[in-house]
Amino acid sequence: MVGDWVKLNGKPVKVCEINANNEVVVSDSETWQNGKDATPIALSPEILESNDFWRENNTWSWWNDEHTQSVDIYWEYDIAHVEVEDNLQTRIETRITDVHELQHLLTVAGITLEIKF
């Protein structure tokens, strides 16, 4: 999807547009056909730390005081269990493995957190 982070040739890139030729255009103006060369980026503690999450016990958390929004993530094997709250009410509880899935959850919950690497 437009706005997702994926790996292209081993480096993280952001999908900027899908053009008329069904090519995907990424942040550095590279294109590729049908996403064949792109792979998902696994969600990791290092990525969460780069995006203002903090670790307490086995849970990684993010909090926005202004909008009373939060995200809590903990791992069980290679699956991240995610709980997203808005106005102190649980909105989404699910399991994910990749950064783009976290991006989609944040969007659905109305949380504007731009993923950084």
Side-chain angles (χ1 to χ4, degrees), residues 71-112:
V71 179
D72 291 318
I73 301 173
Y74 71 92
W75 271 268
E76 193 169 89
Y77 303 103
D78 290 338
I79 305 293
H81 296 260
V82 182
E83 181 177 296
V84 180
E85 294 184 354
D86 187 17
N87 290 321
L88 302 178
Q89 295 182 14
T90 300
R91 297 291 185 209
I92 302 169
E93 286 185 62
T94 192
R95 293 175 287 202
I96 63 174
T97 57
D98 302 315
V99 170
H100 75 276
E101 295 171 308
L102 177 60
Q103 289 177 280
H104 296 183
L105 290 174
L106 296 174
T107 299
V108 167
I111 296 174
T112 55

Side-chain angles (χ1 to χ4, degrees), residues 54-86:
W54 70 90
R55 184 177 181 176
E56 188 171 313
N57 298 321
N58 193 32
T59 302
W60 285 85
S61 300
W62 175 88
W63 176 259
N64 179 332
D65 281 331
E66 184 178 343
H67 299 289
T68 59
Q69 298 169 322
S70 69
V71 179
D72 291 318
I73 301 173
Y74 71 92
W75 271 268
E76 193 169 89
Y77 303 103
D78 290 338
I79 305 293
H81 296 260
V82 182
E83 181 177 296
V84 180
E85 294 184 354
D86 187 17

Side-chain angles (χ1 to χ4, degrees), residues 7-78:
K7 269 190 187 174
L8 181 61
N9 299 324
K11 64 179 180 174
V13 294
K14 189 172 186 176
V15 176
C16 291
E17 87 180 78
I18 300 173
N19 67 24
N21 296 326
N22 204 28
E23 295 174 319
V24 178
V25 180
V26 297
S27 55
D28 55 6
S29 300
E30 289 183 64
T31 62
W32 77 92
Q33 291 284 337
N34 301 321
K36 291 179 184 175
D37 299 328
T39 58
I41 299 171
L43 189 62
S44 69
E46 294 80 14
I47 290 171
L48 293 175
E49 192 172 85
S50 296
N51 288 278
D52 301 323
F53 282 77
W54 70 90
R55 184 177 181 176
E56 188 171 313
N57 298 321
N58 193 32
T59 302
W60 285 85
S61 300
W62 175 88
W63 176 259
N64 179 332
D65 281 331
E66 184 178 343
H67 299 289
T68 59
Q69 298 169 322
S70 69
V71 179
D72 291 318
I73 301 173
Y74 71 92
W75 271 268
E76 193 169 89
Y77 303 103
D78 290 338

